[in-house]
Amino acid sequence: MSRARLAQLHGVATSYSPSPGRTVDVPEDTVVAVLAALGVDASTPRAVRAALAEHEQDAQQRLLPPTVVLREGARLSPARLPAGSALRVVTEDGRTLECDGSPGGEPDIGPPLGVHALHARTADGRSASAHLIVAPHRLPAPPERGHGFLVQLYSLLSARSWGMGDLGDLAELAAWSGRTFGADFVQVNPLHAAVPGHAGVPTDPSPYRPSSRRFPDPVHLRIEEIPEFACLTGPDRDRAGQLAAEAAALRDAVLQRGELIDRDAVWDVKRRALELLHTVPLGPGRRAAYCDFLADRGRALEDHATWCALAEVHGPDWRSWPAALQDPRSAATARARGGLLDRIDFHSRLAWLTDCQLAAAQCSARASGMRIGLVHDLAVGVHPSGADAWAQQDAFAPGMSVGAPPDAFSPRGQDWGLPPWRPDALRATGHAPYRELLRALLRHAGALRIDHVMGLFRLWWVPQGCEPAQGTYVRYDAEAMLGVLALEAHRAGAVVIGEDLGTVEPGVREALADRGVLGTSVLWFERDWARPDGDGSPRAEPLEPGRWRSGCLATATTHDLPSTAARLTGGHVTLRHRLGLLTRPLAVEQREAAAETAEWLALFARLGLLPEGPDDEEAAVKAVHRFLLRTPAQLVGVWLPDTVGDRRPQNLPGTWDQYPNWRLPVADAAGRPVSLEELATSPRLHALMAEIRRSGRVRSP
């Protein structure tokens, strides 16, 4: 019982409810291991008693918690402190606000929005300091109802791509869709920096296991649009031409011969081109802009570039480096940094160049009339061997991995291999790592999608060496996490979309909606679970459009789900059967999938959204989007591959090498790759977008 009390005090669950009326106890060894990762010894009854006593003593002596979170307009008062206490706030812009409990003194403080320093002083001379976060009540809302495209950027190749989609392609897509279709946004996959391949081991292509979430990956650069490219002369110019020819061969391999996107080959060519450009001196204005970027990003950029340089020497897993280099603050690391200054400058400049092209893409989107522009994606965590895990070791829980408990889709649970943030470390720093991360991502974004947004409330921690089912939930300070999110989104003027699919703890969606975080609603999952169909089947009826929530991004599919054409034709079932992923006979799976699709098609027909009849696949795709526009959803997203009848998912969960996850270009119904230029002239795409303009309350282009 004492161990359970200790776990509760530190936000560690000793049981959880996977479904109403069912409770699962967490193994004691798991609770002990998770508490140890939080710096709490619960290995023996004596250790538990000592930890409880220490916690109680700390609570009695503490004047202030490490972080105080207020909503805008709230007042601070010393009333809850010992008599005669005083409070002082030093705001982030350097002003001082004070109040005390003495007669005639100021009774309270109304601090402004921001992250401030809070100080308390008692009459007997005790003092304490804390971080004070004052956040808006709600996040910015979309300006009006709007629609836009969803795309995995690497999959969008143009005639100018160097083997995979890049930031130049993103700018073109935004400008074209905004001006031609009145689109308000383009949502992309996480553009975070990846852990590079090494010694024959390829780069992990998943954008959701990055080296760093704080910096974008320079593999997305459009080389020719770097100003120094035009300054190359003589042999350097000839060398650049040879590299462009290599890149053209990579592009043709994908677009003309249907080969997979080879990220490592693309990066090899781009890296050599970027090293060539690094020899070109920056002009005075460019040099000044680069120096401003270095100063603005500070130690975070220095750490990131240092990790990149050290990884070139010792490999990309910092845990295998010489022991002294595993500490980013060690004297050995400082000496190594001194010997790698040119490579550190190289990687710092790549971060700056990528930031510049991201800014240009967002400017292109807004210039086209988009009211939101780019929607960036925040992955739920980082790779344990990458730059962020090395530079921010104090913020991550050692020996732990984020995942998910067993459910109907994953009976054994999931282990995503991502180290979680320590909630106590976040509190101690005023959630500084989280604030810094959000600020970096929102630099050039009109909106931010947060993958697995439920992680702002709790995450499933799996101890190293344990099965995913042996994990447990660890709670975070949701008020602080949402407050920081609201503050940074307010400062950036950005909308926030939470990916809240799957099992969601009661009250989470309501809390997110209260703060103005939009949810994610995917058509095939929106069923009326409160009204079972009564025939003994667990499947509920499709949810009528008028009963959908308004505070959401409504889509037909996502990168982890079958395309709309595949679902309508049953191709997703055939694919899983071919890969040996079905747990039931093929005929059973096909019947169930066909029945689900038929229910939706029947609803479309009843609502007059399918006048062409159910046997026309292209018409059914139009009906899906007519339906989405019939809902009150504030944003409607169109999966770009759906516009040309692509059958293949970009990622097939549950597979590793059985399926080419994250390596497929956008393709048509026959699997033929479709370039950005071909997309722009596709009759099927234009017909679908014409339906969206007719059916929805969208901005006129």
Side-chain angles (χ1 to χ4, degrees), residues 141-148 182-185 371-372 518 545 548-550 552-555 624-637 692 694-700:
E144 291 180 39
R145 186 180 199 192
H147 73 287
D184 280 306
F185 63 88
R371 291 175 290 201
I372 294 176
L518 302 182
W548 282 42
R549 55 181 170 170
S550 62
C552 73
L553 165 66
T555 70
V624 165
H625 291 87
R626 291 169 185 147
F627 181 93
L628 293 176
L629 290 160
R630 185 73 68 89
T631 74
Q634 289 180 269
L635 298 177
V636 174
I692 287 174
R694 279 194 292 268
S695 303
R697 303 187 304 277
V698 298
R699 177 177 63 84
S700 298

Side-chain angles (χ1 to χ4, degrees), residues 566-645:
R567 195 176 288 272
L568 289 168
T569 59
H572 62 306
V573 177
T574 305
L575 173 62
R576 293 182 66 83
H577 172 68
R578 178 164 57 84
L579 297 176
L581 299 176
L582 296 183
T583 57
R584 298 183 297 174
L586 174 61
V588 174
E589 295 278 359
Q590 287 177 322
R591 280 198 303 273
E592 184 170 303
E596 291 181 359
T597 300
E599 288 176 328
W600 282 104
L601 292 174
L603 177 58
F604 300 158
R606 180 164 58 81
L607 295 173
L609 302 176
L610 190 54
E612 303 92 341
D615 298 325
D616 184 333
E617 175 204 308
E618 188 174 343
V621 173
K622 291 178 183 176
V624 165
H625 291 87
R626 291 169 185 147
F627 181 93
L628 293 176
L629 290 160
R630 185 73 68 89
T631 74
Q634 289 180 269
L635 298 177
V636 174
V638 180
W639 178 237
L640 189 62
D642 274 350
T643 65
V644 286

Side-chain angles (χ1 to χ4, degrees), residues 491-549:
R491 286 172 159 166
V495 176
V496 175
I497 302 162
E499 185 272 297
D500 58 351
L501 302 174
T503 302
V504 183
E505 184 184 12
V508 166
R509 285 197 175 104
E510 292 78 7
L512 292 169
D514 178 64
R515 298 305 289 264
V517 178
L518 302 182
T520 300
S521 293
V522 177
L523 181 130
W524 311 100
F525 299 156
E526 291 296 314
R527 290 179 172 272
D528 189 359
W529 301 106
R531 291 166 49 190
D533 55 19
D535 64 357
S537 168
R539 188 172 66 248
E541 295 178 354
L543 192 65
E544 296 277 346
R547 298 183 59 201
W548 282 42
R549 55 181 170 170

Side-chain angles (χ1 to χ4, degrees), residues 226-437:
I226 297 171
E228 287 69 40
F229 187 86
C231 300
L232 294 172
T233 59
D236 286 344
R237 186 73 179 179
D238 294 339
R239 180 62 181 145
Q242 294 169 4
L243 292 170
E246 288 186 47
L250 292 173
R251 177 180 63 245
D252 292 344
V254 176
L255 291 179
Q256 304 302 324
R257 298 196 296 278
E259 296 180 12
L260 298 177
I261 293 168
D262 187 340
R263 181 192 180 105
D264 286 328
V266 172
W267 175 237
D268 178 62
V269 178
K270 287 192 176 185
R271 177 186 51 77
R272 285 182 278 148
L274 290 164
E275 287 172 341
L276 195 63
L277 294 179
H278 194 59
T279 65
V280 179
L282 297 174
R286 296 269 292 163
R287 169 61 61 180
Y290 177 43
C291 289
D292 284 348
F293 181 77
L294 292 174
D296 180 63
R297 301 310 305 273
R299 194 170 82 173
L301 177 57
E302 182 179 296
D303 284 343
H304 176 71
T306 299
W307 181 91
C308 292
L310 287 171
E312 292 176 335
V313 178
H314 300 287
D317 186 352
W318 63 268
R319 298 167 299 182
S320 67
W321 294 354
L325 297 180
Q326 294 180 23
D327 179 0
R329 309 290 165 239
S330 71
T333 299
R335 288 193 298 271
R337 186 180 292 119
L340 294 168
L341 287 180
D342 184 66
R343 295 308 294 176
I344 291 172
D345 181 63
F346 173 69
H347 290 290
S348 297
R349 194 185 294 191
L350 297 193
W352 172 59
L353 293 173
T354 313
D355 185 80
C356 290
Q357 290 197 3
L358 279 169
Q362 174 65 353
C363 286
S364 178
R366 297 306 296 267
S368 76
M370 286 188 168
R371 291 175 290 201
I372 294 176
L374 304 185
V375 182
H376 289 297
D377 196 351
L378 172 60
V380 71
V382 296
H383 199 289
S385 69
D388 284 359
W390 174 72
Q392 298 180 309
Q393 293 175 48
D394 291 344
F396 290 100
M400 295 290 142
S401 177
V402 175
D407 58 25
F409 297 100
S410 301
R412 298 179 61 185
Q414 301 175 54
D415 183 344
W416 302 333
L418 308 170
W421 270 334
R422 288 179 56 160
D424 57 329
L426 292 179
R427 286 193 297 268
T429 61
H431 290 74
Y434 181 48
R435 287 189 278 116
E436 177 193 21
L437 173 60

